[in-house]
Amino acid sequence: MKKFLLLGAMGLIAFSVHAQDAFDKGDRKMDLAIGVGTVAYADKSRGTFDQHFGMEWGIGRIADKVTIGFGFAVNNTYGGKYQNKVIGEYDYKYTRTTFGKVYNFSTKKWDRINETKKVSREGIGTADADITREDVNALVTISFHYSPIPQLDTYLKIGTGVGYMTYLVGNYQNTDGFQSASVNDHRETQYTDITTRYNYNDLDHVKWSSVGGSKIVPAMATYVGATYFLTESWGIGTQFGLISANIKDKDKGYPNSYGIFAVGATYKF
């Protein structure tokens, strides 16, 4: 009888431990995830590669079933690439050197020549370039967690904060309006022996026009997620919804960017 009671007590203890929520008041967790999203251009949406980092603390309970979490998130999205024409300006000086000798009929001698001159070049040109969007934002988040089974944490998370939008321009192709030269010209006659040397390349000095500049905009998030804990501390999870959203300002003319789906790992302290 005593053995039966002891086993029953151990079972109740084991069940009570097993029945604890996956994320509870007083817990802390860190999330790291990668995913995909989109930039909503006017002509069509283009995909992005996303990275998400978050920290969260369990701060309270609702009706002893739902845990309230408070934390922050930092998100980065990169992609949305398209091609467009850009303008480049150049304004610089290169060095032209002339040296040699010239026969002087007055003195009946050869005069040595060694001259260095700065020559100015300026102008504009065009190129086709790859234009890629990059967004970063930082959010304060609040979440509502529910554990249908002890190892599974399901949640709704809402966030608000500030975002940064910019365009990266590169891979310049089909350049037009730029010149280059590498000259080593030696000319010799009966009365002259002159060498002229110079090098220039407009593309080495070009300053390409930026696309839209950089903008500070509002950011938000509203999404659902689930984490399955493989151990007491480590879990794997997925998120779906507006994981990260930088919202355009009509006056600034930037299209919205959205992080939509992500998978990653969770560590609970």
Side-chain angles (χ1 to χ4, degrees):
M1 184 66 176
K2 291 183 178 180
K3 289 183 179 181
F4 177 80
L5 292 175
L6 179 61
L7 290 173
M10 292 177 64
L12 288 174
I13 293 172
F15 178 80
S16 64
V17 172
H18 184 70
Q20 290 179 349
D21 289 344
F23 185 73
D24 205 347
K25 180 180 178 181
D27 286 344
R28 297 173 295 165
K29 72 184 185 80
M30 175 178 66
D31 299 310
L32 186 63
I34 58 174
V36 294
T38 185
V39 179
Y41 292 111
D43 58 345
K44 67 175 182 178
S45 296
R46 293 175 172 86
T48 60
F49 171 74
D50 306 344
Q51 302 170 82
H52 308 282
F53 171 78
M55 287 288 298
E56 194 171 3
W57 290 262
I59 61 171
R61 300 278 289 180
I62 299 177
D64 204 32
K65 292 183 179 180
V66 176
T67 301
I68 302 173
F70 179 80
F72 68 89
V74 178
N75 306 290
N76 169 250
T77 67
Y78 176 85
K81 185 171 72 173
Y82 68 97
Q83 195 171 80
N84 202 0
K85 195 170 290 293
V86 294
I87 297 174
E89 298 185 35
Y90 56 90
D91 184 358
Y92 66 100
K93 293 182 179 180
Y94 68 91
T95 301
R96 183 170 66 189
T97 303
T98 303
F99 60 92
K101 58 184 180 179
V102 176
Y103 185 76
N104 190 324
F105 289 96
S106 298
T107 62
K108 309 296 183 182
K109 294 180 180 180
W110 290 88
D111 293 338
R112 304 298 301 182
I113 296 175
N114 192 353
E115 297 178 349
T116 300
K117 183 179 180 181
K118 292 290 187 180
V119 182
S120 297
R121 283 190 62 81
E122 61 179 291
I124 61 174
T126 62
D128 294 327
D130 290 340
I131 301 172
T132 306
R133 173 75 170 268
E134 183 169 23
D135 289 56
V136 179
N137 63 42
L139 307 174
V140 175
T141 63
I142 187 168
S143 56
F144 304 91
H145 296 255
Y146 174 71
S147 296
I149 59 175
Q151 293 86 8
L152 181 62
D153 172 33
T154 63
Y155 55 89
L156 166 68
K157 186 172 290 189
I158 301 170
T160 185
V162 62
Y164 173 82
M165 296 177 168
T166 190
Y167 285 104
L168 306 177
V169 184
N171 190 25
Y172 301 99
Q173 311 166 48
N174 305 321
T175 57
D176 182 46
F178 305 99
Q179 296 181 6
S180 64
S182 180
V183 174
N184 186 5
D185 183 29
H186 177 246
R187 299 188 181 187
E188 185 175 356
T189 67
Q190 184 179 357
Y191 301 107
T192 61
D193 184 0
I194 302 295
T195 300
T196 301
R197 293 177 179 171
Y198 59 88
N199 293 276
Y200 67 82
N201 186 346
D202 296 340
L203 287 172
D204 289 341
H205 304 273
V206 66
K207 293 183 179 179
W208 297 104
S209 58
S210 61
V211 179
S214 299
K215 311 295 182 185
I216 303 297
V217 297
M220 60 169 290
T222 304
Y223 62 95
V224 294
T227 302
Y228 186 82
F229 284 92
L230 304 174
T231 70
E232 185 177 343
S233 298
W234 286 100
I236 56 174
T238 183
Q239 302 163 351
F240 179 76
L242 287 181
I243 304 170
S244 167
N246 277 3
I247 307 302
K248 71 180 180 181
D249 185 315
K250 292 182 179 179
D251 295 333
K252 298 176 180 178
Y254 266 45
N256 297 347
S257 70
Y258 306 110
I260 298 172
F261 175 78
V263 294
T266 295
Y267 181 74
K268 184 169 65 172
F269 298 86

